Amino acid sequence: MQALKKCESQYTTIVVRSWLRPRVSIDWLMRAMLFDNAGEPLRLAEVTKPAPGAGQLLLRVHACAVCRTDLHVVDGELTQPKLPLIPGHEIVGTVTELGDGVTHFRIGDRVGVPWLGWACGKCGYCQNGQENLCDLAKFTGYTLDGGYAEYHIADQRFCFLIPDSYRDAEAAPLLCAGLIGYRSLVKAGSGKRLGIYGFGAAAHIVAQVALYQQREIFAFSRPGDEEAKKFALEIGAVWAGGSNELPPAILDSAIIFAPVGALVPQALRAVGKGGIVVCGGIHMSDIPSFPYSILWEERSICSVANLTRRDGEEFMALAPKVPVRTEVETFRLEEANEALTRLRAGKIRGAAVLIIEAVDRETAGR
Ligand SMILES: [Zn+2]
Ligand SMILES: [Zn+2]
């Protein structure tokens, strides 16, 4: 009576049933937000709780941040998701079960799970320290189920211990906004004057690290977005303006977090000779053509793809030293659609985070 639909997931068969039906005490089920088709809202469902395989951890998810990449998935701009999919790749949870051969973690450890969920370890990229480019890589909340759920299965090799000084909700944005932001910052080189285009979750973390490194931040946001400007100045930017403006000083480098290709020539115009423009997102609208003169004099453009475990280890060690403080707006699991809508509209200050509370299955729904 309860089984409406059966479908293959990464690890197990998902049994989906209506959330509104009365429930009984079933500890093999978990609540999750499921993505079925681009352009449709996520739907709350009960699915089979996954079991950890060799080398995997079962985590009770406490918090999962909502990333712009999740928007690219649900809006159909990233076209190869597993279906149905549990989105979410900035997961903080406690280890509740160990698969065979797990040696890195123990039950009760609080760990984080990032976007890179699996890499082959054998291809040329993996062997060259570029596992972020692995041909066979799998991604949390995209080609693997993610953290918009009560439980999550993760490969122990791609999990990080969460520093004790962070609460669950504050730690979640470190897992992508922090990690990929950090990788973008490293790619931007060591120049003192750094421009940041798009002042959201990643920018507010990267800016703190850059300030710790004695750099100056020039923040660019949507023209007219006074809130974003104010936010950037509060964090410590020396200047904040519209993305259509030139900064008051020539920049050494710029990172573009907004998914707007037209910002690439804008940023090239803002950096000086030898300047680096880093595109930090997984998706961007087309880059308009531009005169060679703004690239000339050894300016360069590069993209950042995914992350490596080394990025994670370096950033997780650095974050408490800065210390990076994350500003979060929290939502309940079942409010994931609202969080995505607010993120799409540019209405989140800092990062949106889903808080996944335990549900008493004996009484819920009665
Ligand atoms: Zn992300
Ligand atoms: Zn590989």
Side-chain angles (χ1 to χ4, degrees):
M1 175 170 163
Q2 61 176 265
L4 296 177
K5 185 176 170 187
K6 285 194 172 187
C7 35
E8 290 301 309
S9 80
Q10 183 66 31
Y11 303 110
T12 183
T13 299
I14 287 182
V15 181
V16 181
R17 65 178 191 160
S18 165
W19 177 242
L20 295 174
R21 286 162 194 249
R23 283 168 290 146
V24 291
S25 178
I26 303 173
D27 65 4
W28 51 271
L29 289 177
M30 67 172 186
R31 291 181 307 143
M33 292 299 284
L34 291 185
F35 169 71
D36 296 304
N37 287 301
E40 290 178 13
L42 306 181
R43 78 191 148 89
L44 184 61
E46 286 198 320
V47 300
T48 306
K49 185 160 94 178
Q56 292 179 327
L57 312 173
L58 178 67
L59 305 179
R60 169 67 178 89
V61 179
H62 301 305
C64 184
V66 177
C67 177
R68 182 162 291 282
T69 299
D70 301 342
L71 274 185
H72 294 317
V73 173
V74 303
D75 290 345
E77 288 155 339
L78 296 181
T79 57
Q80 306 289 323
K82 98 177 244 308
L83 290 174
L85 170 74
I86 302 172
H89 58 268
E90 304 183 80
I91 305 168
V92 175
T94 303
V95 178
T96 57
E97 238 177 89
L98 305 175
D100 289 343
V102 169
T103 51
H104 297 19
F105 298 101
R106 290 183 294 195
I107 287 177
D109 282 347
R110 192 173 63 133
V111 304
V113 185
W115 169 248
L116 182 64
W118 189 89
C120 79
K122 295 175 186 155
C123 72
Y125 294 114
C126 282
Q127 296 206 334
N128 197 28
Q130 294 173 294
E131 63 195 9
N132 58 313
L133 303 179
C134 173
D135 288 330
L136 300 172
K138 294 179 186 170
F139 301 105
T140 312
Y142 182 44
T143 52
L144 299 170
D145 276 326
Y148 290 14
E150 288 178 285
Y151 290 88
H152 175 71
I153 289 282
D155 185 319
Q156 64 163 348
R157 298 173 303 154
F158 294 88
C159 296
F160 307 104
L161 273 178
I162 299 291
D164 289 340
S165 53
Y166 288 95
R167 291 187 300 175
D168 297 330
E170 294 164 343
L174 301 179
L175 273 309
C176 183
L179 277 181
I180 294 184
Y182 173 72
R183 187 172 177 86
S184 304
L185 184 61
V186 172
K187 287 260 183 197
S190 56
K192 185 171 167 63
R193 292 197 183 113
L194 174 71
I196 301 181
Y197 288 78
F199 216 86
H204 95 292
I205 294 174
V206 165
Q208 294 174 62
V209 177
L211 289 168
Y212 173 76
Q213 296 170 335
Q214 312 278 315
R215 306 193 204 210
E216 290 178 355
I217 302 295
F218 296 76
F220 299 82
S221 48
R222 294 180 212 206
D225 188 345
E226 296 304 317
E227 273 301 307
K229 274 197 221 173
K230 196 167 145 235
F231 185 39
L233 292 171
E234 279 170 22
I235 285 180
V238 293
W239 176 87
S243 56
N244 56 345
E245 295 176 46
L246 280 175
I250 295 172
L251 306 181
D252 296 307
S253 57
I255 304 173
I256 303 175
F257 289 121
V260 181
L263 293 175
V264 172
Q266 279 291 112
L268 280 172
R269 287 190 168 94
V271 300
K273 291 186 259 189
I276 304 167
V277 173
V278 180
C279 302
I282 192 169
H283 172 82
M284 199 177 235
S285 55
D286 287 353
I287 300 171
S289 68
F290 54 82
Y292 178 62
S293 59
I294 64 173
L295 183 64
W296 165 241
E297 294 170 323
E298 302 197 347
R299 291 171 182 85
S300 61
I301 307 168
C302 68
S303 66
V304 164
N306 315 316
L307 70 139
T308 64
R309 280 170 283 180
R310 190 171 160 191
D311 296 324
E313 283 151 14
E314 286 179 8
F315 179 69
M316 285 299 175
L318 179 61
K321 286 186 199 155
V322 171
V324 172
R325 294 282 165 231
T326 55
E327 185 147 338
V328 299
E329 198 171 318
T330 60
F331 298 82
R332 289 178 298 143
L333 173 65
E334 51 271 40
E335 294 171 331
N337 288 310
E338 187 188 334
L340 289 164
T341 300
R342 285 177 57 77
L343 179 62
R344 189 184 288 109
K347 296 223 167 94
I348 300 285
R349 186 180 150 103
V353 178
L354 305 183
I355 301 295
I356 295 122
E357 305 279 0
V359 164
D360 179 358
R361 289 203 152 71
E362 291 282 359
T363 55
R366 287 185 183 170

